[in-house]
Amino acid sequence: MALWRFSTLTASLLGLLSFLFLRHSATAIRVSTVIHNPSPTNLLPSFREAPAFRNGDSCGSKEADQIHIAMTLDANYLRGTMAAVLSMLQHSTCPENLSFHFLCAHSDTELVSSIRSTFPYLNFTIYLFDSSRVRGKISKSIRQALDQPLNYARIYLADILPADVKRVIYLDSDLVVVDDIEKLWGVDMEDKVLAAPEYCHANFTYYFNEAFWSDSVLNKTFQGRNPCYFNTGVMVVDVEKWRNGGYTKKVEEWMAFQKQKRIYHLGSLPPFLLVLAGNIKAVNHRWNQHGLGGDNFEGKCRSLHPGPISLLHWSGKGKPWLRLDSRKPCVVDHLWAPYDLYRSSRHFLEE
């Protein structure tokens, strides 16, 4: 199936492309039947145009040289997405080889226009995620943001992405990459379906409740595995293996079980752990310096963990753009600020 791509266009053609080239699941559709409303608030942030980033001389230009990156696209996290994309382009040796796949819960021409006007040269595709796929499967968690259908879209990447995408890096929107993303892309997955940093020092029992661990059948779920926590906001996924192994269904089965008997409190993470913990390819911790947003309740400031850093991740309640705007930033939030393309009233006055 042909993959529609955006190129540099005049403003008059931009709306037309938004009309024609969005995707729904893995099937191309006419967006005239879908796009009808702008963002609910009609007040998307305004962003400065990013510089053009070009490939180095050593970069290939074939389809096989592309690096596929999947992210969700949501008005509430758009500022974070823009910063994340900029950070990857800025630190990549071959920025023109980055191919972005944005998953969107609502059809919205303004979101598409915002991406295009900020990154005129970006290679990207938009897919509509059908929220009905998780309707009735989501259990209430400890934080409302974790209960949004789009938070579960990562489970369905193998169904949404075109068949010619064999591997994809999935990234949350509350992070910045400070290294060449190609290094993460090139990880040897050793026949595993998923690669991510593992944190075996974390108390794994914390991710499931007493009803799980006291059940004589459920507590054997991890038998024969050495399960460790991993964060699903930074993952390399073998899309073909995921699809062929039926991993979407496996995760969904645990989501359905949770609806019958509550065994965890943390949104989309625990079913991933139930299916895959102890059976993934471990990646160097430098690729997810997570937890910078604090815990899920107060979002208090946290310090960086010791060691080299390739990716900074504000998982948790506190987001750097909100803390910076409130003029109560944490020290680590100043590491995010240089990638912020938000055009505030101050920037308008300066221009």
Side-chain angles (χ1 to χ4, degrees), residues 157-286:
L157 285 172
D159 300 330
I160 296 171
L161 297 177
D164 60 347
V165 176
K166 308 298 185 186
R167 174 184 291 205
V168 69
I169 299 174
Y170 177 85
L171 297 175
D172 278 348
S173 295
D174 53 356
L175 55 79
V176 291
V177 178
V178 293
D179 201 346
D180 193 336
I181 195 69
E182 187 175 3
K183 297 176 184 176
L184 179 60
W185 173 259
V187 63
D188 181 2
M189 298 185 68
E190 297 179 357
D191 209 37
K192 302 294 185 183
V193 69
L194 189 148
E198 278 187 319
Y199 302 92
C200 295
H201 63 279
N203 183 1
F204 192 77
T205 61
Y206 164 77
Y207 299 99
F208 304 94
N209 62 20
E210 182 61 26
F212 177 86
W213 294 114
S214 63
D215 188 294
S216 59
V217 175
L218 292 175
N219 65 22
K220 292 182 173 63
T221 300
F222 299 104
Q223 205 165 45
R225 291 190 265 166
N226 180 26
C228 296
Y229 160 72
F230 64 92
N231 182 282
T232 55
V234 179
M235 305 184 292
V236 186
V237 181
D238 187 316
V239 182
E240 229 171 11
K241 280 191 173 64
W242 182 283
R243 187 182 296 118
N244 294 337
Y247 283 91
T248 294
K249 185 179 179 182
K250 292 176 183 178
V251 174
E252 284 184 325
E253 286 172 351
W254 279 112
M255 291 168 65
F257 187 91
Q258 163 79 350
K259 296 292 285 187
Q260 302 301 317
K261 180 177 181 177
R262 194 165 177 82
I263 57 174
Y264 56 79
H265 304 289
L266 279 172
S268 63
L269 169 64
F272 266 90
L273 296 179
L274 287 161
V275 174
L276 288 161
N279 194 28
I280 70 169
K281 166 63 179 178
V283 175
N284 193 296
H285 286 181
R286 69 186 299 152

Side-chain angles (χ1 to χ4, degrees), residues 102-176:
F102 294 118
L103 282 57
C104 192
H106 304 288
S107 49
D108 191 338
T109 54
E110 289 195 15
L111 276 175
V112 178
S113 297
S114 188
I115 291 285
R116 173 51 53 206
S117 61
T118 306
F119 299 104
Y121 308 98
L122 194 68
N123 175 17
F124 73 92
T125 310
I126 302 278
Y127 307 82
L128 288 180
F129 173 64
D130 183 1
S131 297
S132 67
R133 296 200 66 167
V134 291
R135 193 169 295 132
K137 297 185 179 77
I138 298 175
S139 300
K140 186 175 176 59
S141 67
I142 60 175
R143 185 157 61 91
Q144 188 177 4
L146 301 177
D147 301 338
Q148 302 307 307
L150 200 56
N151 195 44
Y152 289 79
R154 69 195 80 188
I155 298 168
Y156 300 94
L157 285 172
D159 300 330
I160 296 171
L161 297 177
D164 60 347
V165 176
K166 308 298 185 186
R167 174 184 291 205
V168 69
I169 299 174
Y170 177 85
L171 297 175
D172 278 348
S173 295
D174 53 356
L175 55 79
V176 291

Side-chain angles (χ1 to χ4, degrees), residues 69-105:
I69 299 157
M71 303 179 73
T72 57
L73 192 60
D74 175 79
N76 293 323
Y77 281 79
L78 184 58
R79 193 167 162 189
T81 302
M82 296 295 197
V85 171
L86 175 63
S87 70
M88 283 180 265
L89 294 172
Q90 185 169 316
H91 293 285
S92 177
T93 303
C94 306
E96 292 178 279
N97 290 356
L98 304 188
S99 181
F100 288 87
H101 304 265
F102 294 118
L103 282 57
C104 192

